[in-house]
């Protein structure tokens, strides 16, 4: 069966359920949201030196601040890092950890690893660290009494909000995960209870790649969605055959 575009699929499904209350965004706005999701990239090598205007950065931070959080604890803080000296310290930390990381792979895999560009700390005009204050919430937090890491999960949602808003603004974001978090906390002078969850590079870019960089380089490919959706229990087929068929049809654009 020929592949349908994501918007065509959505519009057909909306038409099938036209009797319900319609709270959906107008089609162009929905398309913009799905475009941001599908065209978001982890940017490493395409940064331009142009500064991010304060009003644009403020919109991105506001988008992050409007992420959902368990118990409405809002555990995030945002460290805007424009100091070249601080970024050089972080870059040295990256080089140290990157070498340690490379040595964990086989000799052949190491060669491919070392060809990858895995950060834009100095090339991007701005760095941002999104932290998680693990003490925020004034005692027991509603919804966190069973799963204590929901503060970390909530902060990840703030990262995703910022990332999608940045794509809509034409700004690239790169998450530098190859860092020792304790040493990073020391560089940034973080309080003991504050965890540096995401160190991000931000800036306008020369292009957004058509594919994720790791897919383009052959490091890893996206898994088929149809293999990842289970029905009622792990490894069980979906009872809704129409859903299974639709999962195989959806494509972007």
């Amino acid at each position: 069966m020929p592949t349908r575009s994501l918007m065509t699929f959505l519009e057909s499904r909306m038409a099938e359920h036209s009797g319900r209350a319609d709270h959906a965004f107008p089609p162009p706005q929905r398309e913009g949201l799905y475009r941001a999701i599908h065209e978001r990239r982890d940017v490493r090598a395409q940064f331009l030196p142009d500064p991010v205007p304060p009003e644009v950065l403020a919109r991105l931070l506001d988008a992050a601040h409007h992420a959902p959080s368990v118990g409405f604890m809002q555990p995030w803080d945002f460290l805007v890092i424009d100091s070249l000296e601080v970024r050089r310290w972080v870059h040295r930390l990256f080089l140290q950890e990157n070498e340690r990381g490379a040595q964990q792979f086989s000799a052949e895999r190491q060669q491919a690893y070392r060809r990858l560009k895995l950060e834009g700390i100095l090339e991007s005009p701005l760095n941002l660290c999104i932290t998680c204050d693990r003490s925020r919430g004034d005692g027991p937090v509603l919804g966190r009494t069973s799963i204590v890491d929901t503060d970390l999960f909530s902060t990840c949602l703030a990262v995703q909000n910022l990332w999608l808003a940045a794509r809509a603004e034409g700004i690239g974001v790169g998450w530098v995960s190859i860092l020792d978090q304790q040493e990073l906390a020391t560089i940034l002078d973080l309080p003991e209870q504050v965890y540096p969850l995401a160190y991000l590079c931000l800036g306008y870019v020369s292009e957004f790649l058509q594919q994720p960089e790791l897919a383009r380089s052959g490091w890893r490919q996206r898994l088929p969605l149809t293999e990842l959706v289970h029905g009622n229990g792990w490894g069980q087929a979906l009872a809704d055959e129409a859903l299974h068929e639709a999962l195989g049809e959806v494509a972007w654009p």
Side-chain angles (χ1 to χ4, degrees):
M1 181 176 293
T3 298
R4 289 185 289 174
S5 74
L6 181 58
M7 289 311 299
T8 300
F9 169 72
L10 287 171
E11 288 165 1
S12 66
R13 296 296 283 182
M14 289 296 291
E16 293 171 12
H17 300 281
S18 57
R20 69 187 177 203
D22 186 3
H23 301 294
F25 291 176
Q29 295 179 12
R30 277 183 285 151
E31 184 172 2
L33 173 60
Y34 284 103
R35 180 182 175 190
I37 291 170
H38 283 264
E39 295 185 9
R40 180 211 57 80
R41 293 290 177 264
D42 193 352
V43 176
R44 289 90 173 265
Q46 293 81 36
F47 285 111
L48 299 173
D50 311 59
V52 177
E55 62 274 16
V56 175
L57 180 58
R59 288 198 293 269
L60 301 186
L61 295 173
D62 184 65
H65 184 49
H66 278 78
S69 62
V70 172
F72 205 41
M73 70 180 106
Q74 305 161 73
W76 44 72
D77 284 89
F78 308 97
L79 281 72
V80 179
I81 303 165
D82 52 14
S83 165
L84 185 56
E85 180 181 4
V86 173
R87 289 158 59 194
R88 283 174 174 160
W89 276 106
V90 176
H91 186 252
R92 283 194 284 268
L93 178 58
F94 165 80
L95 293 177
Q96 170 186 308
E97 290 300 310
N98 192 50
E99 180 57 31
R100 185 178 303 170
Q103 294 173 8
Q104 298 182 38
F105 296 95
S106 66
E108 181 180 354
R109 201 65 161 158
Q110 279 190 39
Q111 294 180 11
Y113 182 97
R114 295 180 193 283
R115 289 194 295 268
L116 296 171
K117 171 71 170 168
L118 297 177
E119 53 77 35
I121 297 169
L122 300 179
E123 295 90 341
S124 61
L126 188 69
N127 291 182
L128 177 72
C129 186
I130 301 183
T131 64
C132 178
D133 186 339
R134 308 218 64 185
S135 67
R136 192 164 294 168
D138 301 322
V141 174
L142 187 154
R144 193 188 176 196
T145 51
S146 297
I147 306 175
V148 296
D149 287 341
T150 52
D151 57 340
L152 299 173
F153 306 158
S154 298
T155 306
C156 285
L157 296 175
V159 176
Q160 180 76 337
N161 266 22
L162 181 136
W163 216 330
L164 295 177
R167 179 61 190 91
E169 296 276 5
I171 291 173
V173 176
W175 187 331
V176 185
S177 60
I178 306 173
L179 295 170
D180 182 288
Q181 299 301 82
Q182 290 185 339
E183 292 192 39
L184 179 61
T186 299
I187 292 173
L188 300 179
D189 197 25
L190 300 182
E192 183 177 356
Q193 78 280 7
V194 175
Y195 178 74
L197 184 133
Y199 193 91
L200 307 175
C201 306
L202 277 75
Y204 291 103
V205 297
S206 58
E207 63 173 332
F208 285 96
L209 299 178
Q210 292 297 310
Q211 288 184 293
E213 194 159 345
L214 293 185
R216 188 178 72 157
S217 68
W219 186 266
R220 258 185 96 86
Q221 300 302 316
R222 191 178 303 281
L223 299 172
L225 178 59
T226 51
E227 296 179 7
L228 306 176
V229 181
H230 309 255
N232 298 310
W234 184 267
Q236 295 187 28
L238 288 168
D240 187 342
E241 294 183 4
L243 174 58
H244 181 77
E245 181 181 339
L247 290 173
E249 293 178 6
V250 176
W252 178 265

